[in-house]
Amino acid sequence: FQGGFRVGPRRVALIESCRSALAGIVQATSTSSQPGVAPILFSTIILTLIILIMLAPACYSLYVLPATNFMKELKDHKVYLFLIASMCLNGLGSYAWNNSSYWMQLNGFTPTEVTIIQLVQSAVLIVVLFALFMTLHRQSIWGPWPMCDFTCLIPPGSLLYALAFWELGNLHYRSYTFVAVLTVAWIVDVARFAAFWTSILTTLANKWYAIIGSFIGFSFIKVCEGVSPLVVHLIAIGWGVSPTWSQLVPNSPETNLAALQKATLVSAIPLALCAYGVQVMARQYFCGEVLTYKGHGHLMPDGEPGWDSGSSVFMPAASIEGYGGHADNGMLLEPSNSDEDSDGSYDSDEDED
């Protein structure tokens, strides 16, 4: 996001599509592990990496890391609060709607066929999601409005998951229409997830706020997913069904297709609708919390150079005399050899006063 708001969506789309595809491949090929182990391990790795990112070297954080008032200013980040709340609500129902592999097996597909389908879905996801966000990137030339509408108005994929399982789960044996709808639901869910984090990281503006806020938000989301089996059971038990436990065999998962369809519908739909309502509420605050809308380096938001002689160059940090370096008519002073820092960063003429 150092390159501005327009650069963020395509980068997040590529990263999130690859991450989701990798998670799907891990889940599809982890036949020796218990269900749910692979996603937990994958999430643990992600959280570990986030913690390592937050532990910036002292020589860097001493000069760069600002005093963090994130918690004091939390009430002002309404887009962040609404979007995290929406993902938490959707996560509370994840145990009910995020069972497409099991649903396909109930529909007649063998475990090997389900694995092949998931691998194909992963490949389709990468292509479609990157194309989608490249379109958003091109549409968001002079303002954040396309990203705002996409983020706040796209419905949760869990709605399509639950409706597909209810309407098509047993309509036809080995239904490829059912598989296609599940694929679309997965793409919608991942696109929504990527759009949410693109918007959160952008509206928080400060990169350290973004790291801290994302870590805290992601932790809350994973906690909600962890208690999801109990939550969906309590919601569905009023209709005499449960997506968590069988009504016939004690301490066993539900295997009756009709009962599982009803339990999924009555437990996932209310939470998904609540999540969508909270998500839409973030729209009125979205544009106001996008503090800047700039180009990338010396380029304007539409990709055109800001001025004829402008250019972006890679400048080693060792060439800048700490805080004493100044620019004179666009030229830096002679670099000092006292700074042994070999790291570098990009700079451009847009930093001149």
Side-chain angles (χ1 to χ4, degrees):
F1 288 88
Q2 187 177 1
F5 185 78
R6 280 192 70 235
V7 182
R10 60 182 182 184
R11 294 178 179 175
V12 170
L14 180 60
I15 294 173
E16 179 59 22
S17 60
C18 292
R19 185 200 69 81
S20 299
L22 178 59
I25 293 172
V26 170
Q27 181 67 26
T29 56
S30 299
T31 55
S32 59
S33 63
Q34 294 295 325
V37 172
I40 293 175
L41 292 176
F42 197 80
S43 299
T44 302
I45 294 174
I46 293 177
L47 288 174
T48 303
L49 293 175
I50 294 176
I51 293 173
L52 292 177
I53 291 174
M54 294 179 65
L55 298 177
C59 60
Y60 180 75
S61 60
L62 180 63
Y63 297 102
V64 178
L65 185 61
T68 302
N69 296 318
F70 176 77
M71 300 306 297
K72 293 181 180 179
E73 299 178 0
L74 185 60
K75 64 181 184 302
D76 298 325
H77 299 298
K78 294 182 175 61
V79 173
Y80 168 80
L81 293 174
F82 280 125
L83 295 185
I84 290 295
S86 177
M87 286 189 283
C88 287
L89 287 170
N90 200 46
L92 288 174
S94 61
Y95 187 84
W97 59 262
N98 195 17
N99 283 319
S100 59
S101 300
Y102 184 51
W103 296 347
M104 284 188 285
Q105 292 183 33
L106 292 177
N107 193 245
F109 293 95
T110 65
T112 302
E113 291 173 332
V114 171
T115 299
I116 295 174
I117 290 173
Q118 289 180 326
L119 294 177
V120 174
Q121 288 176 332
S122 300
V124 172
L125 173 70
I126 294 177
V127 176
V128 173
L129 199 64
F130 188 72
L132 175 62
F133 275 76
M134 280 300 296
T135 303
L136 283 174
H137 168 78
R138 293 182 180 276
Q139 293 295 321
S140 302
I141 293 181
W142 294 112
W145 306 284
M147 197 66 193
C148 170
D149 292 340
F150 183 82
T151 301
C152 299
L153 299 181
I154 182 175
S158 54
L159 283 173
L160 187 55
Y161 269 118
L163 292 174
F165 185 47
W166 172 256
E167 295 290 346
L168 304 174
N170 63 348
L171 185 61
H172 298 289
Y173 182 71
R174 296 172 59 86
S175 173
Y176 284 95
T177 302
F178 178 52
V179 173
V181 175
L182 291 180
T183 303
V184 173
W186 187 36
I187 293 174
V188 170
D189 186 64
V190 176
R192 176 178 178 269
F193 187 80
F196 272 30
W197 286 111
T198 301
S199 302
I200 286 173
L201 294 175
T202 302
T203 54
L204 289 180
N206 184 295
K207 66 176 66 177
W208 296 107
Y209 282 11
I211 292 176
I212 295 172
S214 298
F215 176 75
I216 295 174
F218 191 70
S219 300
F220 275 105
I221 294 169
K222 301 313 290 185
V223 169
C224 291
E225 292 178 357
V227 300
S228 175
L230 179 60
V231 173
V232 294
H233 170 74
L234 294 177
I235 294 176
I237 199 66
W239 282 266
V241 291
S242 171
T244 309
W245 291 289
S246 173
Q247 299 298 303
L248 301 177
V249 183
N251 301 321
S252 297
E254 184 62 75
T255 57
N256 181 271
L257 181 57
L260 185 59
Q261 285 178 303
K262 181 179 179 181
T264 301
L265 186 72
V266 300
S267 60
I269 294 295
L271 291 172
L273 291 177
C274 291
Y276 187 57
V278 174
Q279 165 187 340
V280 172
M281 292 172 63
R283 187 172 182 269
Q284 59 182 317
Y285 305 103
F286 193 98
C287 293
E289 293 190 19
V290 177
L291 300 181
T292 60
Y293 196 77
K294 60 181 180 178
H296 183 32
H298 72 294
L299 301 178
M300 298 297 286
D302 61 350
E304 296 296 326
W307 51 92
D308 294 337
S309 61
S311 64
S312 295
V313 296
F314 181 81
M315 181 172 296
S319 65
I320 304 175
E321 295 180 309
Y323 294 109
H326 300 284
D328 185 13
N329 295 326
M331 301 296 293
L332 285 175
L333 297 177
E334 188 69 23
S336 172
N337 295 325
S338 61
D339 190 354
E340 299 180 356
D341 186 4
S342 61
D343 293 333
S345 61
Y346 282 94
D347 197 4
S348 68
D349 291 343
E350 70 174 1
D351 295 330
E352 297 180 25
D353 292 331

